[in-house]
Structure formats: C-alpha cells, structure tokens
Amino acid sequence: MNVFIGANGQGKTNLLEAVAMLALSSSPRARREIEVVGPVAQATRIEAEVETGGVVVELAIALSIEGDRAHRVIEVDGARRRAFDLPGHFRVTLFWPDDLGLVKAGPELRRRFLNQMLGRKRVLEQRNSLLKRMASGEGGGDVLEAWNEELVRIGGEVSKARARAVRELQPEAARCHAEIASGELLEIEYLGPPADMAEAVQNSLAEDLRRGATSIGPHRDDLRVMLDGREARAYGSQGQQRTAVVSLKLAEAALVAGRTGERPVLLLDDVLSELDGERRAALLRQVAGAGQVIITSVEAGPFPPNLISSARVWSVVGGEIEACG
C-alpha cells in the first residue's frame, strides 16, 4: 500500500497517469498526447522498473513536442518498441473521479469498460460511410449486404464477449459492494442487441439510410447498474454511485488476476471522498491485501492508524514527492 497525500493540484493524479501510461502505452485521460506534456516544457519522460512473474523489465515512454503534435518513443529494456508491444508487461486497474461516468453518464463509458474490440470498429465506420454515399445517390447498394453480414457476425462476437464479461464480473462486484456498503445489493445487467440481429439490421435499413448511420449493433449496447433493485444512475446517492463504480473496478482487478495469475496494480485516485466513515474503512480493508496499491488523498485522516503504519506514505507538494516518516 502506497499512500500519496497532498492538496488539490499538487500532482497526485499526474503520478497515477504516468503509471497507467506505462501499462497501457497511452494516457487514459488525455485526448491528445500534447496535453500530457503540458505548457511548461517541450518534453517529458516516464521510466519504471517493473517486476512481473519474477521477471524484471525497464519500461520508458518519452514524449517530445514537435509543433502542435507530440512524438512518442517507447522503450523496453532500452530497445525501441511499438505501442502495442507495451501492454502486457504489467497490468493496472485504475479508478479516478471521471470513472463515476460509468454510472452517471451515457452508455459510451460503460461500453468502453466492457473492453470494446476497437480494432473491429472499422466495419461500423465502413458501413456508415457506405450509407451516406447511398443516401446522396452515389450508389453502393451492391456491397451493402456484405457489410450487413460483417456487422451481424462481428457485432455478435463483441456482444457475446461483453455478456460473458458481465456474467463473470457480477458475483465479485456484488460481493465487494455488499462488504463496503453494509449488505446493499449491486446488480449489473448487459443490455445487448436484439436476439435476431440480422433481422433487426435489415428492418432498420430505411432509417439507417435516412440518418446515414447504423442504428443496430454493439455500439448501442449498455450496462445497467442497479442498487437494491433500483437504477443507480437515477436513484443512487453520490456515495452509493461511487461505491458501485469502485466495486466494479475491484471486480475487474479480480477477474484479471484470475485470468493471468497476478494481481494488477490498483491505482485509486481520490477514491475516499463522498464516502462515509464506515464505507471508507470497509473499502480500505478490501484493498489492503490486494497486491500493490497506489492511492491518493488530500489528507491522512480517512486512513486507520494501523493501515498508515504498515503503508508507505508520501507527501506531494508542487510536483515534488517526499517520503513521510
């Protein structure tokens, strides 16, 4: 357990972002890499020594500004690598306040949480492009059926994978939530495409042509989050919603550990705010024995003395990190 304490705006979240980047190859929150570097300098570099399964590797990501773009160089043990070579050297499960959108926001974040197969979005993009050409009279109807079949085939694979992930997440998420929230029942339900997706795609063709967009497919799926039988988005308090999201993240970490044999590093940013004392204590008990944990807070008060005494505690002030005690 590593606890980083500091006031708002001192750099705690930047630290978690840096760790996450080394696991994912890109920032989980910045829209453009130039935002990672920021306005202060022309370059930045992240380095870490990572031990996974008894093997130690040195990972590094360097970003340099060239005009209005950032140039990225990735290294593993000093040798240059491509972005897709980086994930897998170690894994992280990340929570930060933006993740509350899993409950509060629309379905896009929930689809992303279910690990949408981004490489297969090309089918959707190609079909949408074809629909727009057909709507403007440029033809293309002779190849539409082929794209419909691909949409049904690949969309079905994506939806089945998501449904399976939800089934695997449900029991562990419910257990975590019940322990943190004094028995409150968390349920998650996958809302996928119609059972007969081929027929639904065919029936929606006229509307798709009118809109120039595909209305049936995995890009419309959602995840319903329920607390004691009521939808968390509409009826949950801030604390309840936060607990639900944290429980989903802890279940994700457990699922990764089950599949890989190793716990991911837990990155928890400002996870304790908006939780009452009982929920804070229960959450900290949940994560205390869960492998390596990096957690941030504006103060040490929420942490039980026994946890603080056994953790590594750091102070973050103005981007500088110092060990406490």
Side-chain angles (χ1 to χ4, degrees):
M1 177 79 76
N2 294 267
V3 180
F4 290 83
I5 298 172
N8 294 329
Q10 301 305 301
K12 301 187 303 297
T13 299
N14 291 63
L15 174 67
L16 298 192
E17 183 179 17
V19 176
M21 282 187 68
L22 286 172
L24 306 172
S25 82
S26 60
S27 168
R29 68 171 184 164
R31 294 187 300 272
R32 300 186 304 150
E33 287 187 329
I34 195 171
E35 298 172 6
V36 177
V37 181
V40 177
Q42 291 298 304
T44 190
R45 183 175 176 88
I46 308 166
E47 297 178 347
E49 186 178 86
V50 176
E51 182 178 349
T52 304
V55 177
V56 178
V57 296
E58 293 183 357
L59 306 180
I61 296 179
L63 295 173
S64 57
I65 303 300
E66 299 176 359
D68 61 349
R69 299 175 64 87
H71 176 65
R72 176 176 53 174
V73 173
I74 293 173
E75 298 173 2
V76 178
D77 285 335
R80 287 198 176 190
R81 293 288 186 264
R82 292 165 296 182
F84 61 77
D85 292 327
L86 195 57
H89 287 284
F90 82 111
R91 296 169 177 81
V92 299
T93 294
L94 171 65
F95 170 89
W96 49 25
D98 287 355
D99 288 325
L100 293 173
L102 285 172
V103 171
K104 294 183 175 183
E108 182 179 355
L109 282 178
R110 291 186 287 277
R111 284 194 292 268
R112 190 183 307 165
F113 174 71
L114 294 178
N115 198 24
Q116 185 174 12
M117 301 177 190
L118 297 176
R120 297 181 173 180
K121 285 179 67 178
R122 185 166 177 79
V123 170
L124 181 63
E125 294 164 358
Q126 294 279 13
R127 186 176 188 271
N128 285 347
S129 177
L130 180 60
L131 289 169
K132 290 172 183 174
R133 294 204 306 272
M134 291 175 63
S136 63
E138 298 179 24
D142 54 329
V143 296
L144 179 62
E145 185 58 34
W147 285 115
N148 288 349
E149 291 175 1
E150 280 294 278
L151 176 65
V152 171
R153 181 181 68 82
I154 293 176
E157 292 176 5
V158 172
S159 297
K160 286 179 182 177
R162 288 177 176 169
R164 184 169 59 250
V166 171
R167 288 195 300 270
E168 293 177 358
L169 284 169
Q170 167 63 49
E172 182 65 13
R175 184 196 66 78
C176 291
H177 190 91
E179 292 194 10
I180 297 171
S182 302
E184 187 174 65
L185 176 62
L186 169 66
E187 298 171 284
I188 53 176
E189 178 186 2
Y190 175 60
L191 306 177
D196 192 337
M197 190 172 164
E199 181 181 1
V201 167
Q202 198 64 40
N203 292 341
S204 68
L205 181 56
E207 178 65 14
D208 288 356
L209 284 168
R210 186 185 69 81
R211 298 173 54 203
T214 302
S215 57
I216 300 293
H219 60 296
R220 300 290 184 184
D221 296 353
D222 201 354
L223 179 69
R224 179 180 291 153
V225 182
M226 310 285 287
L227 294 175
D228 281 344
R230 301 202 300 178
E231 195 153 2
R233 182 180 181 184
Y235 296 101
S237 68
Q238 296 275 52
Q240 287 177 307
Q241 292 175 346
R242 182 174 291 258
T243 306
V245 173
V246 171
S247 297
L248 287 171
K249 293 287 186 171
L250 294 178
E252 174 194 345
L255 186 60
V256 169
R259 289 181 173 177
T260 66
E262 188 166 81
R263 296 284 306 189
V265 177
L266 277 180
L267 306 176
L268 305 174
D269 188 32
D270 195 27
V271 71
L272 301 178
S273 66
E274 297 177 341
L275 299 182
D276 58 40
E278 187 175 340
R279 291 192 183 216
R280 287 177 176 179
L283 169 59
L284 291 171
R285 285 196 299 270
Q286 281 281 312
V287 303
Q292 187 173 23
V293 181
I294 301 176
I295 184 169
T296 71
S297 178
V298 295
E299 57 184 357
F303 296 91
N306 63 327
L307 186 146
I308 286 290
S309 65
S310 63
R312 300 186 69 180
V313 184
W314 311 82
S315 170
V316 184
V317 180
E320 299 289 334
I321 299 173
E322 294 184 0
C324 299

